[in-house]
Amino acid sequence: MNTVPKPRTAAALAARRSRTDTALLRVHESITRLQREKAQVSVAAVARRANVSRTFLYDNPEARAAIATAIAAAGDRRTRMLVEQDDEREATWRERALNSEEALKAAQAEILAQRTRIGELLGQIRDLQAEWTEEAIQRITTENTTLKQRVRQLTADNRTLGERLKAARSNLRFQDRRVADLEARITDPGAAT
């Protein structure tokens, strides 16, 4: 058997190898672009970008290996990114938990202070209640009622005196006009007739 390819076969093989190399170059460029754009690397995405068929990507060992490597690298990057995001979230939650604990301690201290103050005030109320006997309370109530009646009486008297003062002023104005009229008549006796 003759193992030397015939010239036509050799040219076809060379053309096929050239198309394959060109397609592989486009595949590598497409993977690089997808990685740069931080887009998801997949067989379908690379096939669209490189303008090759999926069959070519699955059948060609170099293309299949390049895509597998890119997918694995993207998975590693995604895993690192997820771990970093989880660490950031955990730090945020840890900080919130610490802030909540501090706020809780402050609230508990405030509640304790308020309870202490309420206890003191209740003690003062009990002390005040203990100082007043029933007779003293009755006497003070009676005096309070008497004072209220006296205030009402004085208010009514004040109102009456105010009305009398108003009437007296009105009379005084009338008398002033009358005196002025009489003085005018005395100074000019001919004008009155």
Side-chain angles (χ1 to χ4, degrees):
M1 291 224 153
N2 194 358
T3 58
V4 176
K6 296 184 180 173
R8 290 179 95 190
T9 306
L13 287 174
R16 183 174 180 199
R17 209 171 301 121
S18 173
R19 280 193 309 272
T20 301
D21 289 342
T22 304
L24 282 174
L25 181 64
R26 288 194 315 262
V27 166
H28 288 293
E29 289 172 352
S30 297
I31 291 172
T32 304
R33 262 186 282 141
L34 287 169
Q35 288 172 335
R36 202 172 325 137
E37 295 170 1
K38 296 188 186 333
Q40 184 177 357
V41 178
S42 67
V43 173
V46 172
R48 271 193 309 275
R49 292 272 180 115
N51 197 22
V52 295
S53 69
R54 291 183 189 184
T55 305
F56 172 79
L57 296 177
Y58 287 119
D59 288 344
N60 188 295
E62 187 179 339
R64 189 173 55 239
I67 291 175
T69 304
I71 290 173
D76 290 344
R77 273 195 309 274
R78 180 160 174 73
T79 302
R80 279 194 307 274
M81 186 174 68
L82 289 174
V83 167
E84 289 172 3
Q85 287 176 350
D86 287 346
D87 289 345
E88 289 175 11
R89 285 190 197 117
E90 185 177 325
T92 302
W93 283 106
R94 190 176 308 119
E95 185 176 330
R96 287 182 183 174
L98 291 173
N99 289 342
S100 296
E101 286 177 8
E102 286 181 27
L104 181 62
K105 286 178 186 176
Q108 287 173 340
E110 180 66 23
I111 289 170
L112 182 61
Q114 294 296 329
R115 286 183 178 166
T116 303
R117 180 70 178 138
I118 289 170
E120 291 170 359
L121 292 174
L122 286 174
Q124 289 176 4
I125 290 172
R126 279 190 218 103
D127 291 345
L128 289 174
Q129 288 174 341
E131 290 178 12
W132 300 102
T133 63
E134 191 62 37
E135 291 174 6
I137 293 172
Q138 185 64 33
R139 182 179 46 81
I140 291 172
T141 304
T142 304
E143 288 177 8
N144 190 25
T145 304
T146 305
L147 288 173
K148 284 182 182 177
Q149 289 172 352
R150 182 77 177 133
V151 165
R152 277 194 292 265
Q153 180 63 38
L154 290 173
T155 303
D157 291 347
N158 190 23
R159 192 176 311 117
T160 302
L161 291 173
E163 290 171 0
R164 286 181 184 173
L165 179 62
K166 187 176 176 183
R169 285 181 179 158
S170 177
N171 285 339
L172 182 62
R173 279 192 299 272
F174 177 75
Q175 294 298 328
D176 283 344
R177 273 186 267 152
R178 188 147 184 215
V179 167
D181 188 38
L182 290 173
E183 286 176 350
R185 281 186 189 173
I186 290 174
T187 54
D188 191 13
T193 43

